[in-house]
Amino acid sequence: MKKLYSIITAVSLAVSGVLGVYMFCQRFALLHLGLLYDELYSMATAFPGFSWAYIWREMLLKDVNLPLYNFILYGWNHLFPLTPFYMRLLSALVSAATVPLVWFLAPRRWSPIQRFIFTALMAGSFALVQFAGVIRAYSFAVLAVSAFTLQALSLLDLLSTRKKPSTKRWAAFFFTGLFAAYLHYFSSALFFITALLIFFYACYFKTGRKTVFWGTAAVFACWLPWVYHTVTLMSAPGSSWWYATPPLQASFEIAQFLFGSDRLLGGLVILTVLAGTSILFAYKKTLLLRTDFILPLGQNLILLGVVAAVSHKYNLWLDRYFLAAMPSFLLLLAYALFHLQARHKILIVLLPLLLMGWIGEHWEFVHNAKQEPTGLKNALTHLTQVEKRHTLLVDTAKTGYPTAALQVMYTFYAPKNYALELIPLTVQNRELAFTGEKLPVLIPVCSVQHLIFTETTYGLEEAREPLIFAPDICILSAKPGRIIEND
């Protein structure tokens, strides 16, 4: 029987390795796709026609997104052409680099199998593969969260033996945390949550309390100016938050986005219940000392609590935001799989089965992937080639991006050397839509709610049916309507 278990384990690990390598390579399979709406903004912040000072002043300081990724992308653009392929390549390379990183940063006490399981999950996660090449900060945030989480486990190993971690180890942890803090708000939150958990353990072990407290305070002090800046922007009169999916519906969508179909989710729920029950019975007296389990569990639970609290004001239940938390989710899943393998060796077969399920999700995504995921290219082609427009109004109220960035974003798909002027739609200039040459109104992030918002806010009515391009862009031909004041 022991020999049979060994054969099953060896085959499962070998198959998982092959599947992990396949998904690792798939990070470079979708670099040819067109740009998502948010990616257009990232491209605008790397536009070679603007100086960095202009981009900083007119785009980044007028946007709530953290700026570090845009700074990195601007530098990358000075090495490679500003094309979707090369801009995607940067994110894909960082996503790929995360896989060997987690292998080498894993705590020394981990067995080769535990190290392999976590690395295979990081390589094979279809959500990480799907967003590997997206021209946003997600791949960088995943790398940063992976790094400081594994660094935290190594720090906790030293604290548990009453040994003081070296200054070099602490500096690496806090530097990685500062890096994460300026990439994405979820990676920021996860770093401070991780530091808080380390502080609790430092108090318990009576070692390193001052270092973790003052080091975290220093990172927070460096991060605070941008938080103040963001709160100021979000609190300004007329500002609004466009995302309003009900939390329960959004939670289910997030789970599907991160882990797959209903069948996969059901299997993971069963696995979690089995592993959780086994872990509680096996380590009920020493559970708090199982940092491989407690750290990612604490990260996830506290993050969900923070998101729930903030969402009373600004709804943050958006699937792609949680990509930054994937290392924590997968670390918890890896611990569950390793525990089941250690106590019930045959259950190692769950690892290749999960990876095969994720490959199936990836194939479905590739099959349904659109060359141009946003309708902006087709909308601009229609306006410039069919209607021969050189000037148009743009409803910028729900775009979330500064006007300087929009001019680049919306002309990215316009014909080369085509003179195209974009005028932000306001109550004062709304008459341009129905007098004179009757400028069309381009509405990005278009939905029924956004269309109603535009019409009631600016006193416009549909002169004819809006032209819809893909699910997110529409062009409104307007006539005078009644302005409705928003409370």
Side-chain angles (χ1 to χ4, degrees):
M1 187 63 69
K2 186 176 180 180
K3 186 175 180 180
L4 177 61
Y5 286 159
S6 299
I7 293 174
I8 292 173
T9 299
V11 171
S12 297
L13 293 178
V15 172
S16 299
V18 172
L19 297 176
V21 169
Y22 171 78
M23 290 294 273
F24 176 87
C25 296
Q26 285 298 297
R27 283 164 163 79
F28 301 94
L30 300 174
L31 303 184
H32 63 283
L33 291 181
L35 298 172
L36 299 167
Y37 186 75
D38 287 346
E39 290 181 290
L40 285 168
Y41 173 73
S42 297
M43 294 283 281
T45 63
F47 185 61
F50 296 147
S51 68
W52 174 252
Y54 178 84
I55 291 172
W56 176 258
R57 183 179 67 254
E58 299 298 330
M59 297 185 195
L60 301 183
L61 286 180
K62 296 181 180 180
D63 181 38
V64 298
N65 289 288
L66 292 156
L68 180 55
Y69 169 73
N70 304 103
F71 176 76
I72 295 171
L73 192 67
Y74 184 80
W76 177 264
N77 176 53
H78 283 67
L79 299 176
F80 298 95
L82 184 69
T83 65
F85 175 84
Y86 283 108
M87 297 301 104
R88 287 190 186 282
L89 181 61
L90 172 61
S91 294
L93 288 171
V94 170
S95 179
T98 304
V99 177
L101 177 82
V102 300
W103 174 272
F104 290 110
L105 284 185
R108 292 181 179 179
R109 59 179 168 77
W110 279 14
S111 70
I113 290 181
Q114 186 174 3
R115 190 185 300 251
F116 176 85
I117 290 174
F118 182 51
T119 305
L121 291 176
M122 289 293 294
S125 166
F126 85 95
L128 296 183
V129 172
Q130 176 183 338
F131 265 71
V134 170
I135 311 172
R136 299 292 282 171
Y138 301 119
S139 291
F140 283 84
V142 168
L143 180 141
V145 173
S146 301
F148 69 64
T149 298
L150 294 175
Q151 288 170 333
L153 287 176
S154 296
L155 289 170
L156 290 174
D157 287 345
L158 291 171
L159 295 177
S160 66
T161 59
R162 304 302 197 277
K163 294 180 180 178
K164 292 184 178 182
S166 66
T167 302
K168 185 178 179 180
R169 280 182 177 273
W170 281 120
F173 174 72
F174 292 126
F175 178 81
T176 306
L178 182 59
F179 182 73
Y182 270 94
L183 285 170
H184 193 275
Y185 286 107
F186 275 47
S187 60
S188 307
L190 282 165
F191 170 73
F192 292 114
I193 291 168
T194 304
L196 177 65
L197 293 171
I198 293 178
F199 179 73
F200 287 153
Y201 275 102
C203 291
Y204 178 80
F205 295 123
K206 299 180 180 179
T207 306
R209 287 169 291 187
K210 290 183 178 179
T211 304
V212 68
F213 179 84
W214 289 111
T216 305
V219 174
F220 185 78
C222 294
W223 183 63
L224 189 58
W226 195 269
V227 176
Y228 175 79
H229 165 73
T230 299
V231 172
T232 302
L233 284 179
M234 298 291 282
S235 303
S239 65
S240 59
W241 187 240
W242 59 270
Y243 187 67
T245 302
L248 187 60
Q249 176 189 341
S251 299
F252 181 69
E253 292 174 355
I254 291 166
Q256 285 187 315
F257 173 80
L258 296 178
F259 300 110
S261 63
D262 294 348
R263 184 178 299 179
L264 273 172
L265 283 178
L268 286 173
V269 169
I270 294 172
L271 184 153
T272 301
V273 172
L274 287 174
T277 303
S278 180
I279 290 168
L280 288 175
F281 275 101
Y283 309 121
K284 54 186 175 183
K285 293 184 178 180
T286 60
L287 185 62
L288 291 178
L289 299 179
R290 301 283 169 175
T291 54
D292 295 350
F293 175 74
I294 295 298
L295 179 64
L297 179 64
Q299 286 177 319
N300 294 326
L301 291 179
I302 297 175
L303 177 67
L304 292 174
V306 170
V307 171
V310 175
S311 292
H312 284 291
K313 179 68 174 177
Y314 303 109
N315 194 346
L316 298 180
W317 297 105
L318 185 60
D319 49 17
R320 61 183 181 270
Y321 290 177
F322 284 86
L323 284 167
M326 277 302 284
S328 299
F329 290 134
L330 295 181
L331 185 60
L332 196 59
L333 180 58
Y335 185 81
L337 286 169
F338 175 70
H339 174 81
L340 291 175
Q341 184 274 332
R343 294 184 67 85
H344 315 283
K345 295 186 182 299
I346 196 172
L347 291 182
I348 189 62
V349 299
L350 294 175
L351 177 60
L353 288 176
L354 175 59
L355 293 176
M356 283 190 284
W358 281 348
I359 287 178
E361 296 289 329
H362 173 66
W363 284 347
E364 183 176 351
F365 171 77
V366 171
H367 176 73
N368 294 324
K370 298 178 180 178
Q371 182 64 32
E372 295 297 340
T374 176
L376 189 57
K377 180 177 181 179
N378 290 335
L380 288 173
T381 298
H382 174 82
L383 288 168
T384 58
Q385 301 300 301
V386 178
E387 296 194 13
K388 305 296 183 181
R389 297 283 187 170
H390 290 273
T391 307
L392 55 135
L393 293 166
V394 181
D395 178 18
T396 61
K398 294 291 185 179
T399 62
Y401 295 126
T403 303
L406 295 177
Q407 183 69 40
V408 180
M409 292 167 63
Y410 289 36
T411 55
F412 188 85
Y413 285 133
K416 190 175 182 180
N417 300 322
Y418 191 92
L420 182 62
E421 180 185 6
L422 305 177
I423 303 175
L425 176 64
T426 65
V427 174
Q428 289 72 30
N429 67 18
R430 72 189 186 95
E431 292 186 1
L432 294 174
F434 50 80
T435 59
E437 63 176 303
K438 298 181 181 180
L439 300 181
V441 180
L442 182 66
I443 306 177
V445 197
C446 184
S447 66
V448 174
Q449 292 84 355
H450 289 139
L451 189 58
I452 294 173
F453 172 87
T454 300
E455 292 179 351
T456 57
T457 300
Y458 302 109
L460 302 175
E461 291 182 6
E462 299 167 20
R464 63 172 183 263
E465 284 290 320
L467 297 174
I468 308 295
F469 297 89
D472 55 353
I473 301 290
C474 59
I475 298 173
L476 176 66
S477 297
K479 61 182 180 180
R482 186 167 62 93
I483 297 176
I484 297 178
E485 295 293 336
N486 294 312
D487 295 329

